[in-house]
């Protein structure tokens, strides 16, 4: 049985959130940070649901629209990688916002597979992490026998300082 501190142990009845989502903290938490987490089955439905979770959290945290969009793109790509390549039964997304940055952590319990049965030579793969890199200031991938954790850091845009999320 999961411990009360583990994300899978948390259940909410908040409309619009998955049953495993911990709602955003409305203000600064410990040491000025805010956290939100959602855990879902690693299925195709998780990709748009967790993108919505990230966007909703960014808006509630009052991040600007450019940070909102960047966060949505990063979460979409990282969750899609879990769904397509990990074989994990679930995917967890943890968002942490400080004064100037937002960190996205995506965890799975699978094993990385680059090509899947049925993928032909024309299969479109390999651009997602480049896209994540274009939107982030730092990205680290840690693979262990227990799964993979990706941590990506974005400028938060909370100060509306004009952070540039454009390509080029």
């Amino acid at each position: 049985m999961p411990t009360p501190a583990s994300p899978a142990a948390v259940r909410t009845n908040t409309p619009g959130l998955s049953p495993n989502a911990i709602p955003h903290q409305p203000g600064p938490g410990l040491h000025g940070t805010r956290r939100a987490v959602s855990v879902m089955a690693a299925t195709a439905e998780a990709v748009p649901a967790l993108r919505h979770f990230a966007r909703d959290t960014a808006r509630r945290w009052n991040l600007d629209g450019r940070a909102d969009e960047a966060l949505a793109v990063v979460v979409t790509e990282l969750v899609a990688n879990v769904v397509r390549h990990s074989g994990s039964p679930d995917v967890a997304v943890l968002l942490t916002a400080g004064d100037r940055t937002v960190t996205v952590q995506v965890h799975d319990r699978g094993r990385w597979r680059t090509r899947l049965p049925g993928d032909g030579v024309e299969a479109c793969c390999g651009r997602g992490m480049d896209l994540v890199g274009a939107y982030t200031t730092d990205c680290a991938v840690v693979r262990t026998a227990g799964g993979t954790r990706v941590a990506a850091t974005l400028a938060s845009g909370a100060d509306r300082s004009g952070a540039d999320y454009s390509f080029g």
Side-chain angles (χ1 to χ4, degrees), residues 67-100:
D68 168 303
E69 182 62 26
L71 187 61
V73 169
V74 169
V75 167
T76 298
E77 292 299 327
L78 296 179
V79 172
N81 279 347
V82 170
V83 170
R84 180 152 174 80
H85 298 290
S86 79
S88 178
D90 51 41
V91 57
V93 174
L94 170 64
L95 306 176
T96 306
D99 290 338
R100 299 183 188 272

Side-chain angles (χ1 to χ4, degrees), residues 139-153:
C139 185
V141 178
V142 177
R143 291 187 180 105
T144 68
T148 302
R149 178 179 56 85
V150 180
T153 304

Side-chain angles (χ1 to χ4, degrees), residues 38-128:
S38 184
V39 179
M40 295 188 67
T43 63
E45 293 79 17
V47 178
L50 290 170
R51 176 177 50 244
H52 176 75
F53 165 74
R55 275 201 163 127
D56 184 56
T57 301
R59 289 177 184 144
R60 291 176 192 260
W61 286 348
N62 200 30
L63 302 181
D64 76 17
R66 292 177 296 168
D68 168 303
E69 182 62 26
L71 187 61
V73 169
V74 169
V75 167
T76 298
E77 292 299 327
L78 296 179
V79 172
N81 279 347
V82 170
V83 170
R84 180 152 174 80
H85 298 290
S86 79
S88 178
D90 51 41
V91 57
V93 174
L94 170 64
L95 306 176
T96 306
D99 290 338
R100 299 183 188 272
T101 62
V102 176
T103 301
V104 177
Q105 291 186 48
V106 176
H107 300 257
D108 69 62
R109 297 183 294 144
R111 305 277 290 160
W112 185 259
R113 302 170 297 178
T114 55
R115 293 278 181 190
L116 300 175
D119 280 353
V121 292
E122 71 283 348
C124 192
C125 296
R127 294 184 222 141

